[in-house]
């Protein structure tokens, strides 16, 4: 049984940013996803845990892997007709290193950042 996401009232959804980029970094993997805020669903995601990507990467947790994940996510977003995303950084994340690699490769793939 599939539980649908909660429907937010229109007075709230008009102030939400439609597509938000969220990134997660562990000691082994890099993952990023774009969430559609009004419906609380995942529009697209990419991770270095994917079996196809692991064989082509020599390391699944460094800056080069983060750049590859950002590029792949950008291509998937353009296939789903998502032209722009806004970036959501956690409190401890700074625009440096892996975070910068994901965001810059998204921008190079053709996705606008809000």
């Amino acid at each position: 049984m599939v539980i649908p996401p909660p429907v937010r009232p229109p007075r709230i959804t008009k102030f939400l940013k439609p597509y938000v980029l969220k990134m997660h970094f562990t000691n082994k993997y890099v993952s990023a996803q774009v969430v559609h805020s009004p419906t609380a669903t995942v529009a697209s995601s990419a991770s270095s845990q994917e079996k196809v990507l692991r064989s082509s990467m020599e390391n699944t947790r460094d800056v080069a892997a983060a750049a590859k994940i950002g590029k792949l996510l950008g291509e998937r977003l353009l296939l789903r007709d998502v032209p722009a995303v806004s970036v959501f950084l956690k409190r401890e994340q700074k625009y440096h290193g892996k975070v910068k690699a994901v965001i810059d490769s998204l921008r190079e793939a053709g996705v606008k950042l809000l």
Side-chain angles (χ1 to χ4, degrees):
M1 181 170 133
V2 177
I3 299 172
V7 178
R8 295 181 176 159
R11 68 179 192 275
I12 294 175
T13 57
K14 69 180 180 181
F15 295 108
L16 292 175
K17 298 194 176 190
Y19 292 100
V20 179
L21 170 69
K22 296 187 179 189
M23 298 169 281
H24 184 69
F25 305 103
T26 64
N27 290 336
K28 289 187 176 183
Y29 301 109
V30 175
S31 62
Q33 66 182 4
V34 174
V35 178
H36 186 246
S37 295
T39 59
T41 57
V42 176
S44 184
S45 67
S47 175
S48 60
Q49 288 180 340
E50 296 176 16
K51 200 168 195 174
V52 178
L53 291 177
R54 275 189 291 172
S55 62
S56 66
M57 287 189 219
E58 57 185 61
N59 197 348
T60 58
R61 60 183 174 195
D62 60 349
V63 176
K68 196 166 196 175
I69 293 302
K71 182 178 178 186
L72 180 66
L73 182 63
E75 292 170 358
R76 289 179 180 175
L77 286 172
L78 292 177
L79 285 176
R80 295 199 54 149
D81 294 329
V82 177
V85 297
S86 58
V87 179
F88 174 77
L89 296 177
K90 295 178 184 173
R91 193 179 324 176
E92 68 273 3
Q93 289 179 336
K94 296 179 183 174
Y95 185 71
H96 179 72
K98 295 177 193 175
V99 175
K100 183 178 188 295
V102 171
I103 293 172
D104 288 346
S105 57
L106 258 177
R107 191 177 294 139
E108 290 172 5
V111 177
K112 290 184 181 177
L113 296 176
L114 301 176

mmCIF file of all heavy atoms in Angstrom, residues 31-60:
data_model
loop_
_atom_site.group_PDB
_atom_site.id
_atom_site.type_symbol
_atom_site.label_atom_id
_atom_site.label_comp_id
_atom_site.label_asym_id
_atom_site.label_seq_id
_atom_site.Cartn_x
_atom_site.Cartn_y
_atom_site.Cartn_z
ATOM 1 N N SER A 31 25.794 11.316 -1.824
ATOM 2 C CA SER A 31 24.469 11.243 -2.442
ATOM 3 C C SER A 31 23.842 12.628 -2.464
ATOM 4 O O SER A 31 24.115 13.467 -1.606
ATOM 5 C CB SER A 31 23.563 10.261 -1.696
ATOM 6 O OG SER A 31 23.370 10.688 -0.375
ATOM 7 N N ALA A 32 23.017 12.846 -3.485
ATOM 8 C CA ALA A 32 22.312 14.124 -3.621
ATOM 9 C C ALA A 32 20.938 13.840 -4.195
ATOM 10 O O ALA A 32 20.766 12.914 -4.999
ATOM 11 C CB ALA A 32 23.085 15.063 -4.538
ATOM 12 N N GLN A 33 19.976 14.626 -3.776
ATOM 13 C CA GLN A 33 18.626 14.475 -4.295
ATOM 14 C C GLN A 33 17.957 15.833 -4.398
ATOM 15 O O GLN A 33 18.305 16.757 -3.681
ATOM 16 C CB GLN A 33 17.802 13.533 -3.434
ATOM 17 C CG GLN A 33 17.520 14.016 -2.040
ATOM 18 C CD GLN A 33 16.727 12.996 -1.235
ATOM 19 O OE1 GLN A 33 16.454 11.913 -1.705
ATOM 20 N NE2 GLN A 33 16.367 13.366 -0.033
ATOM 21 N N VAL A 34 16.996 15.916 -5.303
ATOM 22 C CA VAL A 34 16.210 17.133 -5.476
ATOM 23 C C VAL A 34 14.782 16.799 -5.068
ATOM 24 O O VAL A 34 14.170 15.869 -5.599
ATOM 25 C CB VAL A 34 16.269 17.638 -6.928
ATOM 26 C CG1 VAL A 34 15.338 18.811 -7.119
ATOM 27 C CG2 VAL A 34 17.690 18.032 -7.272
ATOM 28 N N VAL A 35 14.265 17.556 -4.116
ATOM 29 C CA VAL A 35 12.938 17.316 -3.558
ATOM 30 C C VAL A 35 11.987 18.395 -4.058
ATOM 31 O O VAL A 35 12.318 19.584 -4.040
ATOM 32 C CB VAL A 35 12.988 17.319 -2.013
ATOM 33 C CG1 VAL A 35 11.613 17.123 -1.426
ATOM 34 C CG2 VAL A 35 13.948 16.266 -1.518
ATOM 35 N N HIS A 36 10.800 17.980 -4.502
ATOM 36 C CA HIS A 36 9.755 18.916 -4.877
ATOM 37 C C HIS A 36 9.011 19.290 -3.600
ATOM 38 O O HIS A 36 8.291 18.475 -3.021
ATOM 39 C CB HIS A 36 8.816 18.273 -5.903
ATOM 40 C CG HIS A 36 7.794 19.216 -6.435
ATOM 41 N ND1 HIS A 36 6.454 19.062 -6.179
ATOM 42 C CD2 HIS A 36 7.912 20.336 -7.184
ATOM 43 C CE1 HIS A 36 5.784 20.040 -6.768
ATOM 44 N NE2 HIS A 36 6.648 20.820 -7.371
ATOM 45 N N SER A 37 9.194 20.508 -3.128
ATOM 46 C CA SER A 37 8.706 20.920 -1.812
ATOM 47 C C SER A 37 7.183 20.895 -1.656
ATOM 48 O O SER A 37 6.695 20.426 -0.636
ATOM 49 C CB SER A 37 9.216 22.319 -1.480
ATOM 50 O OG SER A 37 10.602 22.296 -1.368
ATOM 51 N N PRO A 38 6.402 21.403 -2.613
ATOM 52 C CA PRO A 38 4.952 21.415 -2.382
ATOM 53 C C PRO A 38 4.343 20.022 -2.211
ATOM 54 O O PRO A 38 3.418 19.846 -1.436
ATOM 55 C CB PRO A 38 4.400 22.106 -3.627
ATOM 56 C CG PRO A 38 5.518 22.946 -4.105
ATOM 57 C CD PRO A 38 6.759 22.189 -3.790
ATOM 58 N N THR A 39 4.875 19.023 -2.906
ATOM 59 C CA THR A 39 4.309 17.678 -2.780
ATOM 60 C C THR A 39 5.158 16.763 -1.919
ATOM 61 O O THR A 39 4.752 15.627 -1.656
ATOM 62 C CB THR A 39 4.159 17.024 -4.164
ATOM 63 O OG1 THR A 39 5.440 16.953 -4.793
ATOM 64 C CG2 THR A 39 3.175 17.782 -5.018
ATOM 65 N N ALA A 40 6.324 17.217 -1.480
ATOM 66 C CA ALA A 40 7.229 16.447 -0.630
ATOM 67 C C ALA A 40 7.633 15.129 -1.274
ATOM 68 O O ALA A 40 7.694 14.091 -0.630
ATOM 69 C CB ALA A 40 6.620 16.212 0.744
ATOM 70 N N THR A 41 7.914 15.151 -2.585
ATOM 71 C CA THR A 41 8.360 13.964 -3.299
ATOM 72 C C THR A 41 9.751 14.212 -3.884
ATOM 73 O O THR A 41 10.132 15.351 -4.133
ATOM 74 C CB THR A 41 7.402 13.593 -4.435
ATOM 75 O OG1 THR A 41 7.288 14.706 -5.320
ATOM 76 C CG2 THR A 41 6.025 13.229 -3.904
ATOM 77 N N VAL A 42 10.475 13.142 -4.127
ATOM 78 C CA VAL A 42 11.811 13.244 -4.694
ATOM 79 C C VAL A 42 11.684 13.328 -6.213
ATOM 80 O O VAL A 42 11.135 12.435 -6.849
ATOM 81 C CB VAL A 42 12.685 12.041 -4.298
ATOM 82 C CG1 VAL A 42 14.039 12.111 -4.964
ATOM 83 C CG2 VAL A 42 12.840 11.985 -2.799
ATOM 84 N N ALA A 43 12.179 14.417 -6.792
ATOM 85 C CA ALA A 43 12.121 14.595 -8.246
ATOM 86 C C ALA A 43 13.199 13.768 -8.922
ATOM 87 O O ALA A 43 12.954 13.139 -9.948
ATOM 88 C CB ALA A 43 12.272 16.070 -8.601
ATOM 89 N N SER A 44 14.403 13.769 -8.357
ATOM 90 C CA SER A 44 15.506 13.005 -8.925
ATOM 91 C C SER A 44 16.581 12.841 -7.863
ATOM 92 O O SER A 44 16.683 13.651 -6.943
ATOM 93 C CB SER A 44 16.078 13.715 -10.145
ATOM 94 O OG SER A 44 17.070 12.933 -10.735
ATOM 95 N N SER A 45 17.380 11.777 -8.012
ATOM 96 C CA SER A 45 18.462 11.566 -7.061
ATOM 97 C C SER A 45 19.615 10.848 -7.746
ATOM 98 O O SER A 45 19.446 10.213 -8.780
ATOM 99 C CB SER A 45 17.980 10.747 -5.861
ATOM 100 O OG SER A 45 17.660 9.437 -6.279
ATOM 101 N N ALA A 46 20.797 10.965 -7.146
ATOM 102 C CA ALA A 46 21.987 10.270 -7.626
ATOM 103 C C ALA A 46 22.872 9.968 -6.420
ATOM 104 O O ALA A 46 22.917 10.747 -5.470
ATOM 105 C CB ALA A 46 22.744 11.124 -8.632
ATOM 106 N N SER A 47 23.539 8.833 -6.475
ATOM 107 C CA SER A 47 24.387 8.433 -5.375
ATOM 108 C C SER A 47 25.562 7.621 -5.891
ATOM 109 O O SER A 47 25.463 6.949 -6.919
ATOM 110 C CB SER A 47 23.586 7.590 -4.370
ATOM 111 O OG SER A 47 24.426 7.098 -3.360
ATOM 112 N N SER A 48 26.660 7.670 -5.169
ATOM 113 C CA SER A 48 27.812 6.866 -5.562
ATOM 114 C C SER A 48 27.643 5.418 -5.113
ATOM 115 O O SER A 48 28.506 4.594 -5.368
ATOM 116 C CB SER A 48 29.094 7.460 -4.985
ATOM 117 O OG SER A 48 29.037 7.497 -3.585
ATOM 118 N N GLN A 49 26.533 5.087 -4.476
ATOM 119 C CA GLN A 49 26.228 3.706 -4.108
ATOM 120 C C GLN A 49 25.647 2.922 -5.277
ATOM 121 O O GLN A 49 25.563 1.702 -5.198
ATOM 122 C CB GLN A 49 25.219 3.665 -2.963
ATOM 123 C CG GLN A 49 25.774 4.081 -1.648
ATOM 124 C CD GLN A 49 24.733 4.008 -0.552
ATOM 125 O OE1 GLN A 49 23.537 4.006 -0.823
ATOM 126 N NE2 GLN A 49 25.183 3.953 0.674
ATOM 127 N N GLU A 50 25.231 3.600 -6.331
ATOM 128 C CA GLU A 50 24.626 2.909 -7.470
ATOM 129 C C GLU A 50 25.639 1.963 -8.090
ATOM 130 O O GLU A 50 26.801 2.302 -8.280
ATOM 131 C CB GLU A 50 24.139 3.931 -8.498
ATOM 132 C CG GLU A 50 23.033 4.814 -7.976
ATOM 133 C CD GLU A 50 22.627 5.880 -8.963
ATOM 134 O OE1 GLU A 50 22.972 5.767 -10.145
ATOM 135 O OE2 GLU A 50 21.966 6.836 -8.531
ATOM 136 N N LYS A 51 25.187 0.778 -8.417
ATOM 137 C CA LYS A 51 26.087 -0.268 -8.887
ATOM 138 C C LYS A 51 26.792 0.106 -10.188
ATOM 139 O O LYS A 51 27.966 -0.207 -10.388
ATOM 140 C CB LYS A 51 25.293 -1.559 -9.074
ATOM 141 C CG LYS A 51 26.117 -2.785 -9.083
ATOM 142 C CD LYS A 51 25.248 -4.008 -8.977
ATOM 143 C CE LYS A 51 26.108 -5.196 -8.608
ATOM 144 N NZ LYS A 51 25.315 -6.380 -8.363
ATOM 145 N N VAL A 52 26.112 0.802 -11.070
ATOM 146 C CA VAL A 52 26.699 1.201 -12.348
ATOM 147 C C VAL A 52 27.839 2.197 -12.136
ATOM 148 O O VAL A 52 28.866 2.142 -12.818
ATOM 149 C CB VAL A 52 25.609 1.816 -13.255
ATOM 150 C CG1 VAL A 52 26.184 2.293 -14.556
ATOM 151 C CG2 VAL A 52 24.494 0.811 -13.480
ATOM 152 N N LEU A 53 27.672 3.105 -11.185
ATOM 153 C CA LEU A 53 28.682 4.134 -10.944
ATOM 154 C C LEU A 53 29.889 3.617 -10.171
ATOM 155 O O LEU A 53 31.008 4.069 -10.394
ATOM 156 C CB LEU A 53 28.070 5.298 -10.178
ATOM 157 C CG LEU A 53 27.058 6.137 -10.936
ATOM 158 C CD1 LEU A 53 26.488 7.190 -10.022
ATOM 159 C CD2 LEU A 53 27.711 6.776 -12.125
ATOM 160 N N ARG A 54 29.675 2.681 -9.265
ATOM 161 C CA ARG A 54 30.781 2.201 -8.437
ATOM 162 C C ARG A 54 31.898 1.583 -9.272
ATOM 163 O O ARG A 54 33.066 1.718 -8.946
ATOM 164 C CB ARG A 54 30.288 1.185 -7.417
ATOM 165 C CG ARG A 54 29.753 1.835 -6.174
ATOM 166 C CD ARG A 54 29.488 0.820 -5.122
ATOM 167 N NE ARG A 54 28.342 0.005 -5.550
ATOM 168 C CZ ARG A 54 27.941 -1.080 -4.929
ATOM 169 N NH1 ARG A 54 28.565 -1.511 -3.868
ATOM 170 N NH2 ARG A 54 26.890 -1.747 -5.350
ATOM 171 N N SER A 55 31.524 0.898 -10.347
ATOM 172 C CA SER A 55 32.560 0.257 -11.157
ATOM 173 C C SER A 55 33.376 1.274 -11.957
ATOM 174 O O SER A 55 34.545 1.046 -12.249
ATOM 175 C CB SER A 55 31.921 -0.756 -12.105
ATOM 176 O OG SER A 55 31.026 -0.094 -12.984
ATOM 177 N N SER A 56 32.760 2.416 -12.297
ATOM 178 C CA SER A 56 33.473 3.415 -13.092
ATOM 179 C C SER A 56 34.274 4.403 -12.238
ATOM 180 O O SER A 56 35.090 5.143 -12.766
ATOM 181 C CB SER A 56 32.489 4.184 -13.970
ATOM 182 O OG SER A 56 31.610 4.942 -13.168
ATOM 183 N N MET A 57 34.050 4.432 -10.934
ATOM 184 C CA MET A 57 34.782 5.333 -10.040
ATOM 185 C C MET A 57 35.875 4.564 -9.313
ATOM 186 O O MET A 57 35.681 3.417 -8.926
ATOM 187 C CB MET A 57 33.842 5.908 -8.975
ATOM 188 C CG MET A 57 32.879 6.922 -9.450
ATOM 189 S SD MET A 57 32.084 7.626 -8.011
ATOM 190 C CE MET A 57 30.443 7.801 -8.601
ATOM 191 N N GLU A 58 37.005 5.216 -9.125
ATOM 192 C CA GLU A 58 38.047 4.561 -8.330
ATOM 193 C C GLU A 58 37.841 4.819 -6.849
ATOM 194 O O GLU A 58 38.251 4.029 -6.019
ATOM 195 C CB GLU A 58 39.429 5.013 -8.770
ATOM 196 C CG GLU A 58 39.648 6.511 -8.707
ATOM 197 C CD GLU A 58 40.991 6.901 -9.282
ATOM 198 O OE1 GLU A 58 41.217 6.629 -10.467
ATOM 199 O OE2 GLU A 58 41.788 7.473 -8.521
ATOM 200 N N ASN A 59 37.178 5.935 -6.495
ATOM 201 C CA ASN A 59 36.890 6.261 -5.113
ATOM 202 C C ASN A 59 35.476 6.824 -5.058
ATOM 203 O O ASN A 59 35.117 7.684 -5.850
ATOM 204 C CB ASN A 59 37.906 7.288 -4.591
ATOM 205 C CG ASN A 59 37.910 7.357 -3.094
ATOM 206 O OD1 ASN A 59 37.027 6.822 -2.434
ATOM 207 N ND2 ASN A 59 38.910 8.026 -2.538
ATOM 208 N N THR A 60 34.658 6.357 -4.114
ATOM 209 C CA THR A 60 33.253 6.756 -4.065
ATOM 210 C C THR A 60 32.978 7.866 -3.068
ATOM 211 O O THR A 60 31.823 8.189 -2.820
ATOM 212 C CB THR A 60 32.369 5.550 -3.686
ATOM 213 O OG1 THR A 60 32.801 5.040 -2.417
ATOM 214 C CG2 THR A 60 32.443 4.480 -4.735
#
